[in-house]
């Protein structure tokens, strides 16, 4: 099978068929299959146009969310539950309380002192520290919409 880039333009096909016809003594006789050759050239051209007119690949648009983890600082329990829902785990370590949220790729710990969030920490599934914003974003995007 020939690739489109390997085929000569339609005008070259017509010129080549004319020169072949001249060599064979059929210079004025175009009934020897010129329609077939021209049809092939048009088919290739039509195929090329069809490929060029394919729509671009659609990508899923990135959702806009306010994923700045700094907005978690100072939230009380009610505000945090409104934003992220019920935590997976609540651990008491007096005088602190730690709320843990799990996303598919990370864990976000929020530390409460005096009933407000005072510290945020994120880690990946390998228990290595990671970007808080990325983990917070994962949690926000995974949360069911009310």
């Amino acid at each position: 099978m020939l690739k489109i880039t390997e085929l000569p333009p339609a005008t070259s096909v017509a010129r080549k068929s004319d020169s072949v016809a001249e060599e064979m003594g059929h210079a004025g006789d175009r009934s020897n299959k010129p329609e077939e050759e021209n049809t092939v050239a048009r088919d290739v051209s039509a195929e090329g146009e069809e490929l060029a007119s394919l729509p671009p690949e659609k990508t899923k648009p990135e959702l806009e969310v306010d994923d700045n983890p700094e907005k978690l600082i100072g939230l009380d329990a009610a505000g945090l539950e409104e934003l992220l829902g019920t935590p997976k785990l609540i651990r008491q370590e007096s005088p602190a309380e730690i709320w843990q949220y799990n996303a598919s790729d990370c864990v976000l710990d929020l530390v409460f002192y005096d009933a407000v969030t005072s510290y945020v920490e994120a880690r990946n599934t390998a228990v290595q520290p990671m970007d808080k914003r990325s983990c917070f974003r994962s949690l926000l995007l995974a949360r069911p919409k009310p």
Side-chain angles (χ1 to χ4, degrees), residues 30-41:
R30 303 239 346 132
S31 63
N32 256 2
K33 292 188 184 178
E35 288 303 315
E36 221 173 3
E37 289 175 19
N38 286 341
T39 302
V40 171

Side-chain angles (χ1 to χ4, degrees), residues 19-59:
S19 61
V20 170
E22 285 175 14
E23 288 175 18
M24 297 180 74
H26 304 287
D29 183 9
R30 303 239 346 132
S31 63
N32 256 2
K33 292 188 184 178
E35 288 303 315
E36 221 173 3
E37 289 175 19
N38 286 341
T39 302
V40 171
R42 277 194 297 270
D43 289 344
V44 170
S45 175
E47 183 177 332
E49 288 174 23
E50 182 180 325
L51 290 175
S53 66
L54 290 175
E57 231 180 88
K58 292 183 180 179
T59 57

Side-chain angles (χ1 to χ4, degrees), residues 20-135:
V20 170
E22 285 175 14
E23 288 175 18
M24 297 180 74
H26 304 287
D29 183 9
R30 303 239 346 132
S31 63
N32 256 2
K33 292 188 184 178
E35 288 303 315
E36 221 173 3
E37 289 175 19
N38 286 341
T39 302
V40 171
R42 277 194 297 270
D43 289 344
V44 170
S45 175
E47 183 177 332
E49 288 174 23
E50 182 180 325
L51 290 175
S53 66
L54 290 175
E57 231 180 88
K58 292 183 180 179
T59 57
K60 191 174 182 180
E62 188 72 20
L63 294 175
E64 287 190 36
V65 294
D66 183 2
D67 57 3
N68 183 354
E70 293 301 315
K71 78 179 199 175
L72 297 168
I73 303 297
L75 283 179
D76 62 4
L80 192 57
E81 279 194 271
E82 184 179 321
L83 184 63
L84 292 175
T86 305
K88 181 81 170 175
L89 174 75
I90 297 177
R91 190 172 72 230
Q92 298 290 329
E93 290 188 18
S94 193
E97 184 173 276
I98 302 159
W99 286 24
Q100 188 176 91
Y101 289 90
N102 296 47
S104 62
D105 59 345
C106 66
V107 174
L108 190 71
D109 289 319
L110 299 136
V111 181
F112 284 86
Y113 286 106
D114 297 325
V116 295
T117 309
S118 302
Y119 182 74
V120 178
E121 184 175 277
R123 61 184 179 279
N124 62 20
T125 54
V127 195
Q128 299 296 320
M130 70 174 286
D131 179 51
K132 296 174 209 170
R133 182 179 294 262
S134 298
C135 188

